[in-house]
């Protein structure tokens, strides 16, 4: 039968070393092992991201499989029953052969290429700043170019408006000269008529047009000064941005084409809802697109829109004023021409009446002369020596017949009665003749007045038609209005006076 040894004898240690010495060595080994594991784990952890550290409670191969599972390609069903493997979304390096896409690895400690990486990063930052500065400079330069174009358009429109303003002022001078010329008509022709009313109406309308054109000139002058100030601001910001791109040899237009932003190329163009390309960066006080540049570009955009509306309004006002002035001038000329035709009609009637009266006056004068002759024949000679025997009232036949009182002959009484009657007719005829001559004189004076009025109205129409021609400038019309009396010949110039 087998005999069991007691536990004390079975666990008896045959080792020579002391237990304390052995435990101290084992404790030292365990401490070194723990330190080795900890240092190795920490060293690996320093080079790995936080999410790559495996769970110590999970087996290594299981933890690694679970960690790299999101890296693998995904199989998707396509239309038609086939499959398509696509890498997972996000940043990382696609390994097409292994069909994996590990994410980007970010080290927590500087790598051996840290200096070179920082130099590359600095280069990228510098290049990004240069690209941003170049793009901002391109936008500023294009905005400055558009502002310059708008300034040129505004200057051309100001020239057109100023020419129209000079035409309106010339119209006022022509109106003044027309009134002055019509003032030289005779008093009988100065009765207020529709032609005077048309000239007064033309003057008021021309003054209204003049004020309108002057307001446009003042408004465009203020806008021109604002555009010039905005252009100077854009030029300053443009030169300031170009200080960072002195070494960049790429044209600025190419930069705008690469940006693929039509609204950057043309500030006056509205933004498209679906923009393909770079977006306008927010203003950054220390960046390439600082608030000063943003403010200058916004001001340029506002001025471009405002100046466009102003140019359209000025062009419309200029066309309206030109057409209105031409219509008013035509209406006034038509009124004056109608007045001249009416004066000519009245002049012809007066001339006909004057001719008929002239014939009547000649007939009355001849009849008056015949009456005077008859009166003289009836009255007889002035001296007795010229009397014949048959004409004497005391001739022998009459003296013998009148010896008695009742036998008086009526010859003397009849002669006296006939002489008195002829004298009455002669007096009445002379009175009518005087009235005819006075009326003839008045008709002649009225005819002369009508001639002068017709001539003056015709001269006014010809003056207006001649002075409103484009080749007649404002100074020529001004020299004409000064102190020239149309009843006297115009003064000779020095050039014509010199031989």
């Amino acid at each position: 039968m087998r005999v069991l040894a007691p536990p004390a004898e079975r666990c008896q240690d045959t080792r020579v070393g002391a237990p304390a010495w052995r435990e101290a060595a084992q404790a030292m080994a365990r401490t070194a092992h723990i330190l080795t594991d900890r240092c190795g784990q920490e060293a690996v952890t320093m080079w790995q991201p936080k999410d790559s550290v495996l769970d110590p409670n999970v087996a290594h191969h299981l933890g690694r499989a679970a960690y790299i599972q999101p890296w693998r390609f995904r199989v998707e069903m396509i239309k038609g029953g086939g499959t398509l493997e696509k890498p997972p979304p996000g940043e990382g390096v696609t390994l097409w052969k292994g069909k994996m896409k590990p994410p980007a690895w970010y080290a927590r400690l500087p790598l051996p290429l840290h200096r070179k990486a920082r130099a590359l990063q600095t280069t990228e930052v510098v290049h990004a700043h240069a690209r941003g500065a170049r793009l901002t400079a391109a936008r500023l330069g294009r905005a400055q170019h558009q502002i310059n174009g708008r300034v040129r358009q505004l200057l051309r429109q100001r020239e057109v408006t100023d020419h129209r303003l000079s035409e309106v002022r010339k119209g006022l001078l022509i109106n003044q000269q027309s009134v002055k010329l019509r003032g030289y008509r005779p008093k009988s022709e100065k009765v207020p008529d529709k032609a005077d009313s048309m000239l007064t109406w033309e003057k008021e309308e021309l003054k209204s047009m003049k004020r309108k054109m002057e307001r446009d000139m003042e408004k465009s002058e203020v806008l021109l000064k604002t555009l010039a100030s905005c252009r100077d601001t854009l030029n300053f910001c443009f030169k300031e941005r170009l200080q960072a791109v002195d070494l960049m040899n790429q044209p600025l237009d190419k930069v705008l084409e690469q940006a693929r932003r039509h609204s950057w190329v043309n500030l006056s163009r509205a933004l498209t809802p679906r923009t393909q390309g770079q977006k306008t960066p927010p203003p950054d006080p220390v960046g390439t697109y600082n608030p000063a540049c943003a403010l200058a570009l916004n001001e340029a955009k506002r001025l471009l829109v405002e100046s466009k509306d102003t140019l359209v309004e000025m062009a419309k006002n200029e066309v309206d004023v030109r057409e209105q002035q031409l219509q008013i001038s035509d209406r006034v000329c038509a009124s004056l021409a109608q007045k001249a035709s009416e004066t000519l009609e009245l002049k012809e009637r007066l001339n006909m009446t004057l001719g008929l009266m002239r014939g009547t006056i000649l007939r009355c004068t001849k009849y008056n002369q015949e009456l005077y002759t008859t009166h003289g024949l009836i009255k007889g000679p002035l001296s007795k020596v010229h009397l014949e025997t048959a004409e004497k009232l005391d001739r022998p036949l009459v003296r013998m017949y009148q010896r008695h009182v009742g036998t008086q002959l009526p010859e003397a009484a009849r002669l006296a009665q006939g002489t008195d009657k002829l004298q009455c007719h002669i007096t009445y005829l002379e009175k009518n003749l005087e009235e005819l001559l006075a009326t003839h004189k008045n008709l002649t004076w009225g005819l002369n007045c009508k001639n002068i009025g017709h001539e003056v109205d015709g001269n006014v129409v010809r003056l207006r038609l001649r002075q409103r021609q484009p080749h007649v400038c404002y100074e020529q019309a001004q020299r004409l209005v000064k102190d020239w009396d149309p009843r006297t010949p115009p003064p000779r110039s020095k050039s014509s006076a010199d031989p």
Side-chain angles (χ1 to χ4, degrees), residues 45-115:
T45 305
M46 289 180 183
W47 292 99
Q48 293 179 351
K50 292 181 180 181
D51 57 353
S52 65
V53 179
L54 300 179
D55 189 359
N57 299 323
V58 182
H60 182 73
H61 65 284
L62 295 178
R64 179 172 177 79
Y67 181 70
I68 67 175
Q69 180 62 31
W71 301 357
R72 299 188 181 280
F73 283 15
R74 300 174 182 178
V75 180
E76 297 180 359
M77 298 295 295
I78 60 175
K79 189 175 181 180
T83 58
L84 179 64
E85 294 183 351
K86 299 177 81 174
E91 298 181 357
V93 180
T94 304
L95 305 176
W96 296 97
K97 188 174 182 180
K99 296 183 178 181
M100 295 176 62
K101 184 180 179 181
W105 180 59
Y106 298 97
R108 290 187 290 177
L109 291 177
L111 299 176
L113 299 177
H114 178 68
R115 184 180 184 85

Side-chain angles (χ1 to χ4, degrees), residues 151-293:
V151 168
R152 289 192 294 269
Q153 293 178 3
L154 192 59
L155 287 175
R156 287 195 294 268
Q157 187 60 43
R158 276 177 58 85
E159 292 178 359
V160 175
T161 305
D162 184 68
H163 176 69
R164 182 51 47 197
L165 180 60
S166 66
E167 290 293 323
V168 172
R169 290 172 176 170
K170 186 176 74 173
L172 285 172
L173 292 178
I174 294 174
N175 179 272
Q176 180 182 354
Q177 184 63 30
S178 301
V179 174
K180 186 176 181 180
L181 281 176
R182 286 176 62 84
Y184 292 111
R185 295 175 299 166
K187 186 177 181 180
S188 61
E189 298 297 318
K190 291 183 180 180
V191 180
D193 51 8
K194 292 184 179 180
D196 297 329
S197 303
M198 291 294 293
L199 286 172
T200 305
W201 172 70
E202 182 193 26
K203 182 178 180 180
E204 297 299 328
E205 292 294 329
L206 289 175
K207 285 184 178 180
S208 176
M209 295 180 204
K210 179 183 176 183
R211 290 192 294 267
K212 189 176 182 180
M213 292 289 99
E214 288 176 350
R215 284 196 299 268
D216 286 346
M217 291 295 292
E218 293 174 359
K219 184 177 179 181
S220 61
E221 183 180 2
V222 174
L223 183 59
L224 193 63
K225 291 180 180 179
T226 309
L227 286 173
S229 176
C230 180
R231 180 180 58 186
D232 296 339
T233 305
L234 288 173
N235 188 24
F236 175 76
C237 295
F238 175 72
K239 291 182 179 180
E240 186 181 16
R241 295 300 98 187
L242 283 182
Q243 293 178 0
V245 293
D246 287 340
L247 300 179
M248 298 293 175
N249 56 356
Q250 191 174 7
L252 297 180
D253 293 338
K254 190 69 175 178
V255 177
L256 294 175
E257 292 179 4
Q258 291 177 357
R260 294 187 296 174
R261 281 293 299 271
H262 299 289
S263 60
W264 287 10
V265 178
N266 188 1
L267 292 180
S268 60
R269 182 181 183 273
L271 295 177
T272 54
R274 298 179 181 178
T275 305
Q276 299 293 333
Q278 301 181 12
K279 295 183 179 181
T280 304
D284 186 6
V286 294
T288 57
Y289 190 68
N290 55 10
C293 297

